[in-house]
Amino acid sequence: MSGFQLFAALITLTAIFSYLNYRFLKLPTTIGVMLMALALSLGLIGLQHLGVDFEKLVIQLLKDFQFDQTLMRGMLSFLLFAGALHINLSDLAQEKFAVFSLATIGVVLSTFIMGTGLYFVLRFLEIGLSYPFCLLFGALISPTDPIAVLAILKTVKVPKSLEIKIAGESLFNDGIGVIAFIMLSAIAFKGGGVSAANVVLFFLKEAAGGAVFGLIVGWITFLMLKSVNNYQVEILLTLALVTGGYALASALGISGPIAIVVAGLIIGNQGRQFAMSKKSRANLDTFWELIDEILNAVLFVLIGIEVLFLKFTGPWFKAGLAAIPVLLLARYAGVLVPVRVIRTARSFTRGAITIMTWGGLRGGIPVALALSLPAGEEKNLLVAITYIVVIFSILVQGLTIKPLIRRFHPEL
């Protein structure tokens, strides 16, 4: 199947699922389309057991599709920019300590607790996996997925200060998580040889370098937007910023996700306020909202279809189920500690810790990171566990976060 044919099939399938969800299921679009894609995949697997082998046909058609490359080097930059575009910078500045603490201290703490907990769970289930690989899983699964989180935030009402904390954390901890994942991958697959100094230098290069690069390209784009008054040109400039900026950041060896988030904040605030007419702002918002909705829907369809490519065994399935409460505990600790540290300086709304723990959704990024690992039994196990955790997160946590928020904030 050619690239265009595959793209056409995915868009068609996503459109049909979106239509059916809107007419009948009436769930949030991302959850509804993923649920139907998952049901389709499970149905194909079931038909195979009845002698109707559609599953192999679909796998054959999609065999050249690389989920991790499509998301991490294609869709992610668009989705991060679209999310950052609507974050108010002054609101974010007020919550900067909370966002920074959650995206750094919270991620590191959660990674350690998740990795350690998984190590003992797997030992109990008599599944052999070394501690560095368990920590690697902690790194890829601990950061909340900005795509999943922002998609759900559109469907629920959350107190403004809490919404900024959740959205800001998800946008920045993704970049931090990818950096931790890269470092732990080197340790897990190459053994020792990674010193503390190397870790610090790598982190500074990736995170600080990404932020500075995003600031530079975002400001250059802002100046260009300020010099024109044509919404077609302005939209094209933002597209160039997202695609060219992410590609150049990756080529320079700095964090593309962090760069695009910073650039998106600049365009969404300075650019919208000082460089665009009312007509340009309206058209820019409409364009990026459509990009966001379409890519989100396609991504969650892909998550549902991806089950066809996974290898499951009974013990691995048990390991995935057991990893869910461990992750929730790790997430709780990763929220509790930063909140306790900064509570004297910043106020938190009722039920903030509980809502942020349960609302810390995982989506396509953890799956893509797991799939990017070198081939081997370790990869197959981690992909299976990741997939089970992600499905639980989207379907169970995603569908129950609204009543949980209403429990603490019935006025909303």
Side-chain angles (χ1 to χ4, degrees):
M1 178 181 285
S2 69
F4 176 77
Q5 289 172 324
L6 177 58
F7 176 75
L10 286 173
I11 290 293
T12 302
L13 198 60
T14 302
I16 292 171
F17 286 164
S18 297
Y19 172 80
L20 293 174
N21 177 68
Y22 181 83
R23 286 295 308 275
F24 304 108
L25 295 184
K26 302 189 184 303
L27 296 172
T29 302
T30 50
I31 296 177
V33 297
M34 193 206 73
L35 185 61
M36 283 185 276
L38 182 61
L40 174 63
S41 298
L42 294 176
L44 293 174
I45 294 172
L47 286 174
Q48 184 186 29
H49 291 294
L50 297 175
V52 183
D53 202 0
F54 282 124
E55 181 194 4
K56 284 187 178 179
L57 175 61
V58 175
I59 290 177
Q60 182 67 24
L61 292 173
L62 299 176
K63 68 177 182 177
D64 294 327
F65 178 78
Q66 295 180 305
F67 181 92
D68 55 321
Q69 294 294 314
T70 300
L71 176 55
M72 300 303 294
R73 298 192 180 279
M75 300 168 71
L76 181 59
S77 58
F78 291 90
L79 293 166
L80 288 176
F81 183 82
L85 201 60
H86 297 289
I87 299 291
N88 187 291
L89 200 53
S90 61
D91 291 339
L92 184 62
Q94 291 180 2
E95 305 294 345
K96 58 183 179 294
F97 294 116
V99 170
F100 178 79
S101 299
L102 288 164
T104 53
I105 298 172
V107 169
V108 172
L109 184 60
S110 177
T111 296
F112 176 75
I113 295 173
M114 181 68 240
T116 304
L118 180 67
Y119 178 73
F120 287 107
V121 164
L122 295 181
R123 286 190 65 182
F124 178 77
L125 294 174
E126 299 181 346
I127 299 174
L129 190 68
S130 67
Y131 187 58
F133 278 101
C134 292
L135 285 178
L136 181 59
F137 175 79
L140 71 89
I141 204 69
S142 288
T144 56
D145 189 318
I147 300 169
V149 170
L150 294 175
I152 292 299
L153 281 179
K154 293 177 185 176
T155 67
V156 297
K157 289 185 177 180
V158 185
K160 187 65 177 179
S161 63
L162 185 56
E163 181 182 359
I164 294 297
K165 291 183 182 77
I166 295 173
E169 179 208 4
S170 69
L171 285 169
F172 283 102
N173 73 7
D174 169 61
I176 302 299
V178 171
I179 294 169
F181 173 81
I182 293 171
M183 291 189 297
L184 288 169
S185 293
I187 295 173
F189 286 99
K190 299 176 184 177
V194 181
S195 66
N198 288 337
V199 168
V200 172
L201 288 174
F202 181 80
F203 178 82
L204 288 175
K205 178 187 175 185
E206 284 274 334
V212 171
F213 179 79
L215 186 64
I216 293 170
V217 295
W219 192 256
I220 290 172
T221 306
F222 162 71
L223 294 177
M224 295 176 72
L225 291 171
K226 197 173 181 181
S227 66
V228 297
N229 185 23
N230 181 291
Y231 73 86
Q232 293 97 333
V233 175
E234 290 169 297
I235 289 174
L236 193 57
L237 285 171
T238 61
L239 276 173
L241 169 62
V242 172
T243 54
Y246 194 90
L248 184 54
S250 299
L252 293 173
I254 55 181
S255 175
I258 291 178
I260 291 302
V261 168
V262 171
L265 289 172
I266 292 173
I267 301 303
N269 289 268
Q270 296 294 110
R272 284 165 54 83
Q273 186 174 357
F274 300 113
M276 298 180 194
S277 65
K278 185 176 180 181
K279 181 179 180 181
S280 292
R281 283 195 298 270
N283 282 289
L284 185 79
D285 288 345
T286 300
F287 175 80
W288 280 104
E289 183 180 343
L290 281 171
I291 291 289
D292 190 34
E293 291 292 334
I294 292 169
L295 291 184
N296 258 305
V298 171
L299 172 60
F300 280 81
V301 167
L302 287 171
I303 293 174
I305 293 175
E306 194 65 28
V307 72
L308 293 172
F309 297 85
L310 302 184
K311 298 176 182 178
F312 283 101
T313 66
W316 289 7
F317 188 76
K318 291 177 183 177
L321 293 178
I324 293 170
V326 178
L327 177 60
L328 290 173
L329 176 63
R331 170 65 178 169
Y332 179 77
V335 172
L336 178 67
V337 172
V339 167
R340 294 297 187 205
V341 169
I342 62 177
R343 200 158 217 166
T344 54
R346 293 297 305 168
S347 61
F348 284 78
T349 57
R350 293 189 310 275
I353 294 174
T354 302
I355 293 171
M356 293 184 75
T357 298
W358 195 250
L361 304 184
R362 275 74 185 176
I365 293 177
V367 176
L369 290 176
L371 287 170
S372 71
L373 294 171
E377 277 299 292
E378 296 90 353
K379 172 183 177 176
N380 294 334
L381 171 59
L382 292 182
V383 169
I385 296 174
T386 301
Y387 196 83
I388 291 169
V389 170
V390 166
I391 293 298
F392 174 86
S393 177
I394 295 171
L395 293 185
V396 179
Q397 292 174 244
L399 287 174
T400 56
I401 187 64
K402 189 172 184 177
L404 178 66
I405 294 171
R406 283 181 175 171
R407 177 184 169 190
F408 289 100
H409 300 277
E411 72 278 5
L412 294 176

